[in-house]
Amino acid sequence: MRHRLKDVAERAGVSVKTVSNVVNGHLHVRPDTRARVEEAIAELNYRPNLSARHLRKGRTGVIALAVPELDIPYFAELARHVVTVAAEHGWTVLIDQTGGRCDQERVLAPGITDHLIDGLILSPSALTAADLAGLDGTPMVLLGERVEHCPADRVVIDNVAAAREITSHLIQSGRRRIAAVGAQRTDEGASARLRLAGYRDALRAAGLGYDQALVASASAWHRADGAAAMRGLLTSGVRPDAVFCFNDTLALGALRALHEAGLRVPEDVAVAGFDDIEDGRFATPTLSTVAPDKEQVARLAIRLLANRLGGDPTVPARELRAPYRLEFRESTRTR
């Protein structure tokens, strides 16, 4: 049996309005009254009717998360955090995959269809600021640095600084011929460009020259692409003593290619990645990586969305930066 506010009010000996005030967190309730209501709520195992609450506010209680690829572990792990944090607000999350296609992202940006979702968290690969200009529909939060100077809130991490730090770690371990795997020359490759810039910054700071022959492109960032890029570096005659892969799935592919070539990691070639996916913690050797705080990315995105839904929609767009850390594991340790 699902209990109602009226049942809680009768059990606590107060009005329905008082129970509502306690449930909604209003401050102006006497402590002894609040205690009685909370005790009645616990005894009856009362749960608010979120559907009715959303309907009263003209909302669905549903938000959407759209990412380029669900089979990239970073996005799967991020989606789990978004679902968990959204549940704290009583929200259900629809998850969609855009394939990184501009046409699909354009469909999602206005809010899928009228009244289907209350807000959207989007990790864009193809949209531009011009695509978003003039949109006046569903509140939206963007993830990543793909779209700059846009009218939507954003959550980012400092890709340049993170790439610089992980490359510097390789340099400080005595490596001098450091390859980069994952470069992209398309408009969609914003993260790749930023991570390449950080890589180059670290080389420059250490007095090491930038060698284009040590930079391997990858149109996608899957394990097979990392393995192919690593094999290409090795067969070209380039012999790096370290490699910075622009995400962990590329790094896992690179580890496989190095193993096939009879090279030891990290003794012959050190390997570092980016994203700190769970697979990297169980690889042999375990993978050194940049670890974005995925839970904090989710919390910041949900916070921005909640502010839009509960506040003034004309407030200027905000950019919040999530932290990251470096995880040094077996793939870059020589001792």
Side-chain angles (χ1 to χ4, degrees):
M1 175 181 175
R2 188 184 183 105
H3 291 287
R4 302 166 299 169
L5 279 178
K6 181 180 178 181
D7 301 320
V8 177
E10 289 176 353
R11 176 65 66 93
V14 298
S15 68
V16 170
K17 177 62 175 176
T18 298
V19 176
S20 178
N21 287 340
V22 172
V23 169
N24 289 295
H26 293 303
L27 299 177
H28 304 299
V29 179
R30 289 171 49 185
D32 59 330
T33 303
R34 184 183 299 277
R36 291 206 316 276
V37 171
E38 290 175 346
E39 183 178 355
I41 288 172
E43 290 173 352
L44 296 175
N45 194 29
Y46 170 75
R47 294 290 181 270
N49 187 332
L50 294 175
S51 296
R53 182 184 298 178
H54 293 314
L55 285 172
R56 286 195 300 270
K57 294 180 178 179
R59 298 193 187 129
T60 64
V62 177
I63 65 169
L65 170 67
V67 298
E69 297 180 80
L70 287 170
D71 52 357
I72 293 289
Y74 172 83
F75 290 121
E77 293 179 14
L78 177 64
R80 176 172 59 83
H81 288 296
V82 170
V83 169
T84 299
V85 178
E88 297 173 8
H89 293 258
W91 294 344
T92 298
V93 182
L94 297 179
I95 299 175
D96 201 358
Q97 175 176 272
T98 67
R101 302 194 315 272
C102 190
D103 59 339
Q104 183 66 10
E105 292 177 356
R106 282 194 182 118
V107 169
L108 291 169
I112 305 180
T113 59
D114 288 344
H115 310 303
L116 180 59
I117 60 172
D118 296 329
L120 170 67
I121 299 172
L122 170 65
S123 178
S125 290
L127 282 182
T128 65
D131 294 321
L132 296 172
L135 283 182
D136 185 22
T138 302
M140 177 170 53
V141 176
L142 302 180
L143 302 179
E145 297 90 339
R146 162 70 185 138
V147 185
E148 296 182 335
H149 311 299
C150 68
D153 295 317
R154 290 200 307 169
V155 178
V156 303
I157 68 164
D158 193 336
N159 274 278
V160 175
R164 181 170 57 242
E165 290 180 34
I166 196 70
T167 305
S168 295
H169 163 66
L170 294 171
I171 295 169
Q172 290 161 10
S173 69
R175 315 293 172 153
R176 289 297 177 268
R177 290 186 56 75
I178 302 168
V181 169
Q184 295 177 332
R185 295 174 178 83
T186 63
D187 290 340
E188 292 79 12
S191 294
R193 288 193 298 276
L194 294 170
R195 293 173 193 181
L196 182 63
Y199 161 82
R200 297 187 69 165
D201 284 352
L203 296 179
R204 189 180 306 110
L208 300 176
Y210 173 75
D211 184 351
Q212 183 62 47
L214 285 167
V215 178
S217 298
S219 58
W221 283 4
H222 301 149
R223 295 167 181 82
D225 301 288
M230 192 74 246
R231 292 187 193 109
L233 286 169
L234 296 175
T235 57
S236 70
V238 173
R239 276 301 302 266
D241 57 11
V243 56
F244 165 41
C245 297
F246 289 0
N247 80 346
D248 284 355
T249 49
L250 289 170
L252 293 173
L255 286 175
R256 180 65 192 177
L258 289 165
H259 173 74
E260 291 171 350
L263 295 171
R264 299 168 302 163
V265 178
E267 291 83 359
D268 299 321
V269 183
V271 177
F274 202 117
D275 284 345
D276 191 30
I277 64 172
E278 187 176 18
D279 288 357
R281 295 169 225 157
F282 292 90
T284 303
T286 54
L287 183 63
S288 294
T289 187
V290 174
D293 190 334
K294 293 185 276 289
E295 180 182 1
Q296 191 65 7
V297 170
R299 288 198 175 279
L300 293 175
I302 293 291
R303 181 196 303 173
L304 287 170
L305 204 54
N307 288 345
R308 285 290 168 192
L309 289 170
D312 182 354
T314 65
V315 172
R318 298 175 63 196
E319 177 180 296
L320 299 181
R321 184 166 290 184
Y324 65 87
R325 65 185 185 281
L326 302 187
E327 290 286 352
F328 303 131
R329 300 192 180 108
E330 295 167 347
S331 66
T332 61
R333 293 178 187 155
T334 54
R335 292 180 181 84

